[in-house]
Amino acid sequence: MIFIPLAVIALLISGYFYRSTRPELSGGRRRMLFALRSLSIFILLSLLISPVLHFKRRITEEPQILILRDNSLSMELMRNNQSKSELISAPLESLIHAFQNAGYTISEESFADGIRGERGNSLLVKSLQELGESADLTKLSGIVLASDGWLRDEDFGLISRLGIPIYAIADSFRYQNPDLMIRDVKTNRYAYRNENTLIQARIAAQNYRGPAKIHLWIEGTKAASRQITLEPSIEQLVDFEYRFDRTGFFNYHVELEALPEEQRLENNQMPGAVEVLSEKELIMFFSDAPGWDNKFILDAISGNPRWDLESYLIRDGMAYQGEQGQRLDAQSRPAVIVIINNGNLSLNPNLSSFIKDNLQRGCGFYYQGMPLMDLAAYLPLLPSNITNSYQGFIHLQPNALDFPMLNPLAEEQSKMPPVDYFYLTPAKNAQILATIANPQGSPAIGIKSQGESRVLGLSFLNLWRWQMQSDSGGYQKMMVNILTWLSNKAIGAYSAIYKNSYLQGEEVIIRLRAEDEIRSSDLDKNPLITIYDSEGNELRRDFMSRSGEEYVYHTNLTEVGEYHFEIQEPDQNQSSSGSFVISAMVAEERDFDFNLPLLNFIASQSNQGRIILLNQAQTFSPPPAKIVYQDQSRDFALYRRWYVIALFILSFCVELYFRRRWGLL
């Protein structure tokens, strides 16, 4: 070792200097100076050579098994004078001894609503996350889950990510008490006033064969009931047809009437929502001549089941269908009026008055081609002193991205063939979304709001050529989007879907349907939900998260009582609200038996996990523990340690002090 020669050299050098002194010092003083000089020289030589010390040690890591005991209220439910926790106690001890005999170390934790949470709920993933804050769970050799399996976590993805086996202890005995359940409820997102709306419920029964009653509730009122016959473990679809007599956004729920001996009731109902629109929207189409633009727009309208279509050809200011002149009914209420003008269109006073009356009441208006001065007050693009048409390309402006109906055009702008355009000028208060790629940058697409009416105008014809270049049907998609935007008076564009009642300890789930102006799911929002108690005190405030085509928020409220919530979109004028109650009945008190399907799922999601039934615990033989030996090394560089340098300075200064004091200097 390098330090031994350095120590010998330091002693020799110090011995040479202190073999004799003038004046002569006593033996004790000379030995003290000799020691200080030796220490200083030894440290100095060590720093000059800069050695690095290497320390090695071997660490033994014994494999560890975590015992997770479910401490929720459902574990105290009795069967034959014995609770579930007492029932699994002896088999669990057998498992613990088996793992210990195999060479594992054991650690134990209890959980319910987390490690330190209330007993009225069971959340396994939340508990594992809390344990992971203080320990590395991936180093565990396994987890023994002593639970009845009535876990209310939304997502068990953490189980597979941990990559360790989970041994779930369970009892295969099942109560014979019946249980009715609604697994799912489906309906279309939209319904139409005075038309039958189908609401379909998927239901099942356990330990029960016989009749049952199922009810449809809409806005707190019983709307329909059905008598059905159930078979155990066989799913059944039950259809309700309901005719809404008014428009709006309606929350509903389907409920199975509880049987006299039924004990689990929280799965007897399922909520949903539907937006009811007015009767199928009427779109009226006017043009001065047949053409391909007409055909493709009419095809887009005819292909949408929400719309009824009336198409007219204008000759000499009159509306014709075929060769028959038509006098339009003043009672007609179109949602959108479409006009294509190739340059020869004119309106007689009756037709002009009909269009203006509908625009004043809020009808949408799509105009393509040369504008009519008779409708100039409504149009975003107006004629100029140039009446000839020219060919050019369309160039979208940055503000076009704010209008989702133009997304297909933005995505396929490079495929757009030239169009035949007119030189037009923008109207006052019009917003230009696209221009023609000419030196003047003349307007191509403009929008304008006139009262409650939305108007979109195009300064060009022959947009249908795009349909020939598009593989994804972009032209038709954009036309449907535009007509939807012009007609959209949606009520449910930002609406909450929720249950009116929850059991104590049951997870509160609130969903939000958010749509843009073309009735597509808008998933770029940041809905902020706030929950208040009955006295108006704020209890929760958080952002909702995306879930499929909707937003969702999960929380747990332990206090019995009434609550209400508000959902708001920050910096936007969108909001939704609702109220619900937490009943005094605890959900955990209805979780009888062991939830074998969920326990099997958790064990299968883990790495080589399995279910261990109570009668298998005594014969269970875990794999032998594999002790891991890990060598750790540590480098110790003297020249980087401040206290070594400080010791050198101290010994040098002390020696210098005493040499001066004793007359050696």
Side-chain angles (χ1 to χ4, degrees), residues 207-223:
N207 305 322
Y208 179 73
R209 176 185 284 107
K213 288 185 179 180
I214 184 170
H215 308 289
L216 171 65
W217 295 79
I218 297 178
E219 296 294 321
T221 301
K222 186 185 293 186

Side-chain angles (χ1 to χ4, degrees), residues 557-603:
L557 298 169
T558 58
E559 297 295 328
V560 175
E562 297 181 2
Y563 299 84
H564 68 277
F565 66 88
E566 294 179 359
I567 304 174
Q568 293 182 326
E569 184 66 21
D571 304 326
Q572 296 186 25
N573 187 25
Q574 289 181 300
S575 63
S576 184
S577 60
S579 59
F580 58 91
V581 297
I582 304 293
S583 67
M585 188 173 295
V586 180
E588 286 279 324
E589 294 177 351
R590 297 186 176 277
D591 292 336
F592 297 93
D593 304 326
F594 283 71
N595 191 350
L596 288 176
L598 183 56
L599 290 175
N600 269 309
F601 172 78
I602 292 173

Side-chain angles (χ1 to χ4, degrees), residues 92-135:
L92 180 59
E93 291 300 322
S94 298
L95 288 180
I96 292 175
H97 290 315
F99 279 108
Q100 288 175 334
N101 294 335
Y104 296 91
T105 59
I106 303 296
S107 61
E108 296 190 35
E109 290 285 352
S110 296
F111 79 96
D113 187 0
I115 298 299
R116 293 165 294 276
E118 299 291 333
R119 300 181 63 197
N121 203 3
S122 300
L123 296 172
L124 174 62
V125 172
K126 178 182 177 181
S127 304
L128 291 174
Q129 289 173 339
E130 291 181 1
L131 288 172
E133 294 175 358
S134 57

Side-chain angles (χ1 to χ4, degrees), residues 330-481:
Q331 302 301 317
S332 294
R333 291 291 183 265
V336 182
I337 293 176
V338 178
I339 292 181
I340 295 182
N341 182 15
N342 296 276
N344 300 313
L345 189 144
S346 62
L347 305 175
N348 64 24
N350 290 334
L351 185 54
S352 176
S353 176
F354 173 83
I355 293 175
K356 290 178 181 178
D357 288 345
N358 279 286
L359 294 181
Q360 287 177 0
R361 67 166 181 80
C363 173
F365 190 22
Y366 175 84
Y367 195 98
Q368 189 173 329
M370 178 62 75
L372 289 175
M373 291 305 298
D374 198 26
L375 302 176
Y378 300 93
L379 299 178
L381 305 178
L382 301 176
S384 67
N385 55 1
I386 302 176
T387 57
N388 293 331
S389 64
Y390 300 85
Q391 279 202 340
F393 293 92
I394 302 170
H395 176 68
L396 286 178
Q397 298 297 303
N399 60 347
L401 299 177
D402 297 332
F403 296 88
M405 69 274 195
L406 298 180
N407 285 346
L409 180 60
E411 294 169 359
E412 300 188 6
Q413 192 171 184
S414 61
K415 299 181 180 180
M416 286 289 297
V419 295
D420 298 320
Y421 70 90
F422 296 96
Y423 274 97
L424 302 183
T425 59
K428 185 179 180 181
N429 298 327
Q431 191 173 356
I432 304 303
L433 306 183
T435 58
I436 300 295
N438 56 23
Q440 295 76 21
S442 58
I445 301 176
I447 61 171
K448 182 180 179 181
S449 295
Q450 184 76 19
E452 296 183 1
S453 178
R454 293 172 171 173
V455 183
L456 187 143
L458 278 61
S459 68
F460 50 85
L461 299 167
N462 294 323
L463 182 61
W464 65 270
R465 295 169 182 162
W466 171 25
Q467 181 78 345
M468 302 295 99
Q469 306 294 328
S470 174
D471 298 329
S472 60
Y475 174 89
Q476 188 169 17
K477 290 178 183 177
M478 189 182 77
M479 283 302 163
V480 171
N481 289 348

Side-chain angles (χ1 to χ4, degrees), residues 479-512:
M479 283 302 163
V480 171
N481 289 348
I482 287 174
L483 297 176
T484 301
W485 178 75
L486 291 171
S487 66
N488 190 10
K489 302 294 188 294
I491 300 170
Y494 200 84
S495 301
I497 304 171
Y498 57 97
K499 288 171 61 175
N500 294 319
S501 177
Y502 295 89
L503 300 177
Q504 190 177 14
E506 184 181 2
E507 187 175 30
V508 175
I509 302 176
I510 300 173
R511 292 156 37 214
L512 175 73

Side-chain angles (χ1 to χ4, degrees), residues 175-186:
Y175 281 101
Q176 298 306 310
N177 291 333
D179 183 27
L180 308 183
M181 63 193 74
I182 299 179
R183 297 193 184 276
D184 193 18
V185 172
K186 290 184 178 180

